[in-house]
């Protein structure tokens, strides 16, 4: 046997030294061997499907300075509000004895993907103030807290909470079906 032919064959000790063709033994050539033997249509490869990474509709704005946080479009804002309500509901089920307004703060910052310190800090940037107003509005609608209590937990005055409610009245009406009537009241 020549050296080239010896490379194409290998010895199988389990079968008593029978020489098998290398193409039948290699995993890379199995489909080619089977296609030749049984027909190509049986072993045709399925087309490769490219899976695109689904990007989240709410952009991640964590680790940004408060003045660099951008205001979200209205449809994205509605998605983030629903996520905040769902996160708040989960938090209330897991730990019902914790402070509801602090849980709401965490849920809103997580849903809008902005640091909690940036939202409730002293900044007056447009993107941050809008998220803060949404958090205050949800605090009044979803919990049984007064405007003064909501303002203290959100590091603001009760008149600021009242202003947020007035500005976001259309959201309260639009999201009324999302909020449970037997909420945390």
């Amino acid at each position: 046997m020549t050296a080239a032919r010896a490379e194409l064959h290998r010895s199988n000790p389990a079968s008593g030294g029978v020489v098998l063709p290398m193409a039948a033994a290699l995993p890379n050539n199995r489909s080619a061997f089977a296609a030749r033997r049984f027909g190509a249509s049986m072993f045709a490869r399925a087309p490769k499907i490219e899976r695109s990474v689904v990007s989240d509709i709410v952009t991640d704005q964590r680790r940004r300075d408060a003045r660099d946080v951008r205001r979200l479009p209205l449809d994205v804002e509605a998605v983030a509000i629903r996520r905040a309500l769902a996160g708040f509901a989960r938090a209330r089920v897991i730990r019902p004895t914790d402070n509801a307004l602090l849980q709401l703060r965490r849920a809103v910052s997580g849903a809008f993907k902005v640091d909690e310190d940036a939202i409730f800090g002293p900044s007056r940037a447009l993107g941050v103030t809008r998220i803060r107003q949404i958090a205050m509005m949800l605090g009044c609608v979803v919990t049984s807290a007064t405007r003064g209590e909501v303002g203290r937990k959100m590091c603001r005055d009760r008149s600021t909470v009242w202003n947020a409610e007035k500005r976001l009245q259309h959201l309260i009406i639009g999201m009324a079906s999302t909020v449970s009537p037997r909420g945390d009241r």
Side-chain angles (χ1 to χ4, degrees):
M1 203 188 277
T2 64
R5 190 166 175 106
E7 289 177 17
L8 294 175
H9 295 77
R10 70 177 173 89
S11 176
N12 187 351
S15 62
V18 177
V19 177
L20 298 173
M22 191 67 160
L26 289 177
N28 293 341
N29 293 330
R30 277 189 187 152
S31 59
F33 173 74
R36 270 185 267 124
R37 183 164 181 156
F38 301 110
S41 63
M42 185 178 191
F43 293 95
R45 291 184 181 230
K48 189 174 182 182
I49 298 172
E50 293 289 327
R51 290 188 181 177
S52 62
V53 177
V54 179
S55 62
D56 194 9
I57 192 168
V58 181
T59 57
D60 194 358
Q61 301 187 58
R62 294 182 190 108
R63 296 187 183 90
R64 282 192 182 178
D65 194 19
R67 60 180 179 261
D68 295 333
V69 173
R70 295 189 192 110
R71 183 174 173 190
L72 300 174
L74 291 177
D75 56 337
V76 177
E77 195 173 81
V79 169
I81 291 171
R82 286 189 194 96
R83 286 182 185 174
L85 288 171
F88 174 69
R90 266 191 310 263
R92 294 304 292 165
V93 168
I94 293 170
R95 293 194 170 176
T97 58
D98 285 358
N99 190 328
L101 291 172
L102 293 178
Q103 288 177 335
L104 183 67
R105 274 178 63 148
R106 283 186 227 113
V108 168
S109 67
F112 280 89
K113 296 184 180 179
V114 179
D115 288 330
E116 196 173 340
D117 296 335
I119 296 173
F120 301 106
S123 176
R124 292 184 178 192
L126 182 64
V128 175
T129 55
R130 178 73 176 191
I131 298 170
R132 186 184 307 135
Q133 287 175 344
I134 289 170
M136 288 187 272
M137 180 263 308
L138 290 176
C140 291
V141 172
V142 178
T143 67
S144 60
T146 64
R147 288 188 183 106
E149 292 170 340
V150 171
R152 280 190 293 277
K153 291 295 180 184
M154 306 288 176
C155 306
R156 294 293 180 272
D157 189 52
R158 62 182 172 78
S159 61
T160 309
V161 177
W162 182 83
N163 183 35
E165 277 188 59
K166 276 300 237 195
R167 284 179 179 259
L168 301 174
Q169 216 167 20
H170 66 281
L171 281 178
I172 294 172
I173 295 167
M175 300 297 286
S177 61
T178 307
V179 178
S180 170
R182 288 183 288 159
D184 185 36
R185 290 189 175 246

